[in-house]
């Protein structure tokens, strides 16, 4: 693969960039710039704007509303989306979407894919449990086969957005006697089913997006199982591969570097703009070089994924590892540059009335973003686990 974009690819980038500039309602864009959490209406409206353009589910095949974009076009689309800035597309669209495409019956495809595309149905991921995070295959939530339905009992943990979701794609144990990877099935669970209890888990940035989810004799119709019983682990690997490719977020790190350069050129230190500080310049240059390398690896991995097979490319682990490190480093450098201005606005009571010194509203989102970004090297498989995967499956050690 060449490292330069072709003329056609650059023209495509311009088209995407221009679309993002004009298509997103201004009030929504302002909320994104200020780092405010999108409402469900925001997400649905934005997804429908993309759908009208035919860009709601670029990774899916055309017959299900997708595109026939090359891997490079898909990459450009995601990168521009993150840099616009526009609302990101929800990860579940690809994570569960690709499994339904690969393993779903025609009936399941007709039922779920259009509603995922238009975001009538919003999914959460029910994989992790207490004691089963890194060692996910040890999960204990049980689903007993009762003929025409499963009876589900157990607990999930760290379930992002469970309180807003209509459905969960869940891994459950259907054969306790089999080896731990072999007895797992992949179910789609209606979150309104009787017997489901959701409790909030508040994260370090003070927000509620994480949850505990409890299942007490929850009935799940047999037709909500994806693929073959006890083969769920194979399908989960496909989901996780996509999750790791998305987690790299090169475009997001790029936009933060751009913001860091712009902000540091306006912050004065010893009578000079901070951007002239050699230590800061060196740090920024190092991050930019690493980001370029990640960008190229990202293109290679996405190229391998576009065929919708259910094999996981272990190189996605490199994206997860480097991408999350760079997201954390770019926020760290923004935090350094913004200093006290990285904090959410304080009331006059605490500041003695100096809060008007804040020069950019968006800088106040840097500290909360820095805190929650500690999690990027944990979710989707922690970075220590990615090191193990890279050692074994990429380097063959
Ligand atoms: C913000 C956030 C959102 C999340 N969203 C979801 C979600 O929507 N759905 C979902 O299912 N899960 C979600 N998770 C859960 C996430 O996938 C797990 O937290 C993650 O897999 C780690 O598992 P754990 O928390 O149980 O930690 P543990 O597995 O207990 O790990 C603890 C520490 O030990 C290290 N460790 C463990 N095993 C090894 C090993 N073999 N070698 C080296 N080091 C090791 C880990 O790297 C880590 O540092 C989310 C987590 C966070 C923080």
């Amino acid at each position: 693969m060449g490292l330069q974009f072709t003329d056609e690819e650059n023209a495509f980038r311009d088209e995407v960039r221009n679309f993002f500039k004009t298509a997103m309602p201004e009030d929504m864009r302002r909320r994104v710039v200020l780092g405010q959490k999108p409402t469900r209406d925001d997400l649905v409206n934005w997804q429908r704007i993309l759908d009208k353009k035919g860009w709601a589910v670029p990774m899916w095949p055309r017959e299900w509303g997708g595109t026939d974009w090359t891997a490079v076009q898909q990459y450009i689309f995601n990168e521009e989306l993150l840099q616009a800035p526009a609302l990101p597309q929800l990860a579940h669209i690809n994570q569960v979407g690709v499994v339904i495409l690969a393993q779903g019956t025609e009936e399941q495809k007709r039922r779920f894919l259009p509603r995922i595309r238009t975001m009538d149905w919003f999914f959460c991921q029910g994989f992790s449990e207490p004691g089963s995070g890194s060692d996910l295959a040890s999960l204990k939530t049980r689903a007993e086969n009762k003929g025409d339905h499963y009876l589900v009992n157990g607990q999930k943990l760290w379930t992002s957005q469970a309180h807003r979701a209509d459905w969960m794609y869940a891994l459950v144990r259907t054969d306790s006697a089999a080896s731990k990877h072999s007895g797992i099935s992949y179910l789609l669970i209606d979150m309104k089913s009787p017997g489901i209890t959701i409790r909030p888990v508040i994260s370090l940035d003070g927000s509620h997006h994480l949850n505990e989810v409890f299942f007490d004799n929850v009935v799940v119709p047999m037709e909500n199982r994806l693929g073959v019983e006890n083969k769920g682990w194979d399908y989960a690997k496909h989901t996780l591969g996509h999750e790791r490719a998305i987690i790299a977020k090169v475009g997001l790190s790029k936009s933060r570097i751009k913001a860091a350069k712009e902000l540091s050129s306006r912050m004065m230190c010893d009578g000079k703009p901070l951007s002239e500080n050699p230590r800061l310049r060196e740090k920024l240059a190092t991050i930019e070089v690493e980001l370029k390398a990640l960008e190229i690896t990202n293109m290679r991995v996405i190229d391998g994924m576009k065929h919708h097979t259910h094999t996981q490319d272990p190189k996605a682990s490199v994206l997860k590892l480097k991408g999350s490190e760079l997201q954390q480093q770019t926020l760290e450098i923004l935090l350094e540059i913004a200093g006290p201005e990285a904090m959410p606005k304080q009331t006059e009571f605490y500041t003695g009335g100096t809060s008007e010194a804040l020069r950019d509203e968006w800088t106040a989102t840097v500290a909360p973003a820095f805190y929650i970004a500690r999690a990027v090297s944990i979710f989707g498989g922690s970075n220590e686990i990615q090191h193990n995967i890279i050692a074994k499956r990429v380097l063959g050690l």
Side-chain angles (χ1 to χ4, degrees), residues 108-388:
Q108 286 172 328
K109 288 180 190 171
R110 274 198 301 275
R111 183 175 177 210
F112 287 101
L113 293 177
R115 293 179 174 96
I116 294 175
R117 197 191 79 229
T118 53
M119 225 182 263
D120 283 312
W121 284 347
F122 190 112
F123 276 72
C124 62
Q125 182 187 85
F127 284 8
S128 309
E129 299 181 3
S132 302
S134 302
D135 184 16
L136 184 58
S138 70
L139 61 92
K140 293 183 185 62
T141 294
R142 220 160 23 95
E144 270 176 86
N145 187 331
K146 297 284 186 186
D148 64 343
H149 68 273
Y150 288 103
L151 203 58
V152 179
N153 282 285
Q155 184 197 343
K156 296 291 171 183
L157 182 58
W158 310 119
T159 321
S160 302
Q161 307 297 352
H163 55 305
R164 295 161 102 190
D166 306 295
W167 288 86
M168 171 187 280
Y169 54 99
L171 292 180
V172 292
R173 186 152 304 283
T174 36
D175 183 353
S176 308
S179 71
K180 65 180 181 180
H181 294 92
S182 310
I184 292 173
S185 297
Y186 201 113
L187 297 186
L188 303 178
I189 303 179
D190 184 342
M191 292 298 280
K192 287 186 288 299
S193 311
I196 294 183
T197 308
I198 302 170
R199 281 201 213 138
V201 176
I202 304 301
S203 49
L204 203 56
D205 62 339
S207 69
H208 171 205
H209 86 269
L210 297 168
N211 300 277
E212 293 178 288
V213 181
F214 298 87
F215 301 89
D216 184 13
N217 286 329
V218 174
V219 172
V220 179
M222 202 50 78
E223 65 260 26
N224 288 8
R225 189 190 68 227
L226 275 184
V228 178
E229 190 175 72
N230 297 326
K231 292 278 178 220
W233 185 252
D234 293 345
Y235 316 145
K237 285 195 286 190
H238 194 199
T239 293
L240 292 172
H242 272 272
E243 193 174 37
R244 282 167 202 155
I246 295 160
I247 280 170
K249 293 191 176 160
V250 172
L252 184 63
S253 293
K254 273 190 182 172
S255 67
R256 287 189 184 140
I257 289 176
K258 195 169 150 209
K261 285 181 176 170
E262 198 275 326
L263 190 65
S264 62
S265 70
R266 287 190 287 120
M267 301 289 265
M268 299 303 283
C269 177
D270 295 334
K272 282 190 201 153
L274 194 56
S275 54
E276 289 178 20
N277 179 300
R279 284 219 351 102
L280 182 75
R281 290 166 73 92
E282 189 189 339
K283 270 191 192 175
L284 275 170
T286 307
I287 293 177
E288 273 187 300
V289 169
E290 294 204 355
L291 201 55
K292 189 74 206 165
L294 179 65
E295 191 174 7
I296 292 160
T297 311
N298 208 348
M299 283 160 74
R300 289 203 193 107
V301 171
I302 289 167
D303 192 40
M305 280 180 168
K306 69 181 172 180
H307 307 294
H308 303 295
T309 60
H310 64 276
T311 50
Q312 184 200 351
D313 182 348
K315 285 196 290 302
S317 293
V318 179
L319 298 181
K320 196 320 179 154
L321 181 66
K322 262 338 267 189
S324 56
E325 282 176 4
L326 287 168
Q327 282 174 59
Q328 291 173 339
Q329 285 168 22
T330 49
L331 276 167
E332 211 170 294
I333 209 160
L334 266 175
L335 192 69
E336 250 180 73
I337 295 167
E341 308 214 7
M343 298 295 286
K345 261 189 184 167
Q346 300 290 311
T347 62
E348 281 198 10
F349 176 80
Y350 290 107
T351 60
T354 57
S355 60
E356 66 277 9
L358 290 164
R359 51 199 95 183
D360 286 315
E361 264 183 284
W362 70 265
T363 59
T365 64
V366 170
F370 172 82
Y371 289 129
I372 193 62
R374 301 296 90 199
V376 195
S377 46
I378 301 172
F379 58 65
S382 75
N383 283 11
E384 289 77 14
I385 297 299
Q386 305 312 320
H387 275 120
N388 291 348

Side-chain angles (χ1 to χ4, degrees), residues 47-87:
Q47 183 69 4
R48 300 218 170 138
I49 292 170
L50 291 173
D51 196 32
K52 249 191 181 162
K53 177 81 178 159
W55 291 356
V57 284
M59 289 283 280
W60 295 10
R62 223 175 234 288
E63 59 171 313
W64 293 106
T67 66
D68 48 14
W69 289 348
T70 62
V72 177
Q73 283 176 304
Q74 286 167 17
Y75 174 76
I76 290 171
F77 174 81
N78 282 328
E79 185 177 297
E80 291 299 321
L81 187 85
L82 288 167
Q83 289 182 86
L87 279 176

